[in-house]
Amino acid sequence: MGVVNVTPDSFSDGGQWFQPEDAVAHGRVLRQQGADVLDVGGESTRPGAQRPTQEEELRRVLPVVEALCAVAPVSVDTMRAAVAAAALDAGASLVNDVSGGLADPEMVPLVAERGVAYVAMHWRGHSARMQSRARYDDVVADVLRELGERVEQLLGAGVRPEHLVLDPGFGFAKTPEHSWELLRRLEELTALGHPVLVGTSRKGFLGAVGRAAGAERAPLERDVATAVTTVHAATHGAWGVRVHDVVATLDALDVAETLAGGPR
């Protein structure tokens, strides 16, 4: 899943693809590089980010979704049902909701009615305050329990089980230690019986690993670390990975598969 951020403030590449024509060109490049799905989002969910208005999110997302649907399957990364509905009308085939339907009560009825694939992430609140909620007894057990409860609610509301993908929410209401523990025990998450999407790309916990305090790698310097986590995800049951650098991701997977006994 290649990331197309149509935002001025995303933590990794905010502003770089903010103009619709630039975002469309970037999405086409990601597709040529091997992305299976293009994930288009108009709201930054970095820690502390403020939300755009619904009108602004629609303005950012719709022309990009419409254009990229001509070249690849498109996912819309949104917490708003109105944005998801408009993107689906424009040709998107998957909704990637970091709130798992908790931010907008209209989201779950929408995806159930439309019968589309739906990524539901583990979520404890909006970006402006989520890190204050990074408290767990056992992060994996707690995330499993909370995601499991959410799955029951989603299925009860009419979302079909074969359409549901789960995301443990690396970096969302998680400390670096929490994110590493979730990665180490990734196979426990697949025990819930649904595909798992891993979104570690360029996250802060990758920039800090092996570095002294104050010497963390900048987001654009985290693609090698991201590629390593991608190989780990692929060998521990993940359904997919959401990444900024498609080339590094596929190279890492090619090398890992060749070492395991054959080319991809």
Side-chain angles (χ1 to χ4, degrees):
M1 184 179 284
V3 179
V4 182
N5 287 323
V6 196
T7 59
D9 57 344
S10 290
F11 79 97
S12 170
D13 52 9
Q16 193 169 2
W17 320 115
F18 188 46
Q19 297 304 317
E21 59 271 22
D22 294 331
V24 171
H26 181 56
R28 287 176 175 153
V29 169
L30 293 177
R31 177 61 167 174
Q32 291 167 357
Q33 291 173 340
D36 296 302
V37 178
L38 299 175
D39 191 48
V40 178
E43 176 180 352
S44 172
T45 51
R46 63 178 173 77
Q50 300 299 313
R51 304 195 72 189
T53 65
Q54 179 173 292
E55 292 72 21
E56 173 62 13
E57 188 179 353
L58 284 164
R59 185 196 69 78
R60 295 175 184 181
V61 164
L62 285 185
V64 180
V65 169
E66 187 171 24
L68 289 179
C69 282
V71 300
V74 169
S75 164
V76 59
D77 181 356
T78 184
M79 291 181 275
R80 290 182 166 119
V83 176
L88 292 171
D89 289 342
S93 54
L94 187 155
V95 176
N96 181 13
D97 179 0
V98 300
S99 81
L102 293 170
D104 185 340
E106 299 301 318
M107 181 67 88
V108 177
L110 170 73
V111 296
E113 178 186 352
R114 296 292 189 98
V116 295
Y118 182 58
V119 179
M121 196 189 80
H122 175 261
W123 191 74
R124 285 188 166 185
H126 288 289
S127 298
R129 58 185 183 276
M130 66 180 177
Q131 290 310 102
S132 66
R133 298 174 179 173
R135 297 187 179 92
Y136 302 89
D137 294 324
D138 176 325
V139 65
V140 177
D142 291 349
V143 168
L144 280 170
R145 184 186 69 257
E146 292 172 26
L147 271 180
E149 292 169 355
R150 194 66 193 133
V151 167
E152 290 183 5
Q153 293 163 356
L154 292 168
L155 297 182
V159 177
R160 296 178 65 175
E162 65 268 27
H163 292 162
L164 187 56
V165 178
L166 303 180
D167 181 341
F170 294 97
F172 286 80
K174 315 286 191 307
T175 66
E177 292 76 17
H178 293 147
S179 290
W180 285 117
E181 188 65 9
L182 283 165
L183 267 176
R184 291 185 193 102
R185 297 165 60 186
L186 189 61
E187 287 177 322
E188 294 180 42
L189 297 168
T190 64
L192 288 173
H194 295 276
V196 172
L197 176 67
V198 169
T200 59
S201 187
R202 296 179 179 173
K203 296 273 176 82
F205 75 99
L206 297 182
V209 65
R211 313 286 292 184
E216 296 85 353
R217 294 191 184 278
L220 292 176
E221 298 172 352
R222 300 171 189 166
D223 288 332
V224 173
T226 298
V228 175
T229 64
T230 292
V231 170
H232 177 81
T235 55
H236 288 79
W239 164 81
V241 288
R242 181 181 181 275
V243 299
H244 299 83
D245 188 334
V246 170
V247 172
T249 298
L250 291 177
D251 281 353
L253 291 171
D254 285 341
V255 169
E257 184 139 353
T258 300
L259 285 170
R264 290 180 67 249

